[in-house]
Amino acid sequence: MSWQTYVDDHLMCEIESQHLTAAAIIGHDGSVWAQSASFPQFKPEEITGIMNDFSEPGYLAPTGLYLGGTKYMVIQGESGAVIRGKKGSGGITIKKTNQALIFGVYDEPLTPGQCNIIVERLGDYLIDQGL
């Protein structure tokens, strides 16, 4: 299965007639494995900041999480495993696997919990597969 299929079929899937605004699978080095057409063009330093927060939880809290120039307020996550951010009525969930970062961006009416389930379920599956 291609990485694009994971994004299209597992991340951008429909849940209760709602779906993520954007999604991507990005290597720890910032290389794009696959992304939705709506995923923002990000800067390498934004991925570096996210990776720093995974290795040093709380790193992004003072400045916020940036993706494609959009600032998200960092909210509770799972230390070293999941980063969650909020911006207005939407937000972002990022799950770290052994080799990649799984991104899900959402807006209302999708809820933060639904986004977490979509992103973390795929992330957990990839971890189980050794990825």
Side-chain angles (χ1 to χ4, degrees):
M1 187 181 315
S2 77
W3 291 113
Q4 192 62 50
T5 303
Y6 281 107
V7 169
D8 296 341
D9 295 351
H10 298 280
L11 293 174
M12 296 301 288
C13 62
E14 199 168 283
I15 289 193
E16 296 170 22
S17 71
Q18 306 302 323
H19 56 82
L20 294 174
T21 306
I25 301 173
I26 296 174
H28 289 180
D29 62 356
S31 61
V32 176
W33 293 10
Q35 65 183 17
S36 65
S38 54
F39 195 75
Q41 180 65 48
F42 59 87
K43 298 181 180 94
E45 58 267 23
E46 294 172 334
I47 301 302
T48 301
I50 290 165
M51 288 302 294
N52 286 343
D53 196 82
F54 278 118
S55 58
E56 188 184 320
Y59 175 86
L60 291 174
T63 59
L65 183 162
Y66 285 85
L67 185 70
T70 299
K71 180 180 179 179
Y72 296 88
M73 179 179 70
V74 179
I75 55 176
Q76 97 294 344
E78 293 169 32
S79 187
V82 178
I83 298 172
R84 298 184 182 107
K86 186 89 175 119
K87 177 177 174 44
S89 61
I92 188 168
T93 301
I94 307 166
K95 171 79 175 181
K96 182 179 183 235
T97 72
N98 300 332
Q99 298 176 24
L101 301 173
I102 314 299
F103 286 79
V105 180
Y106 69 93
D107 282 305
E108 283 186 335
L110 197 75
T111 67
Q114 289 170 315
C115 179
N116 295 342
I117 288 168
I118 294 167
V119 172
E120 293 175 40
R121 186 179 292 154
L122 179 60
D124 289 340
Y125 171 77
L126 293 176
I127 289 169
D128 289 345
Q129 300 303 307
L131 301 167

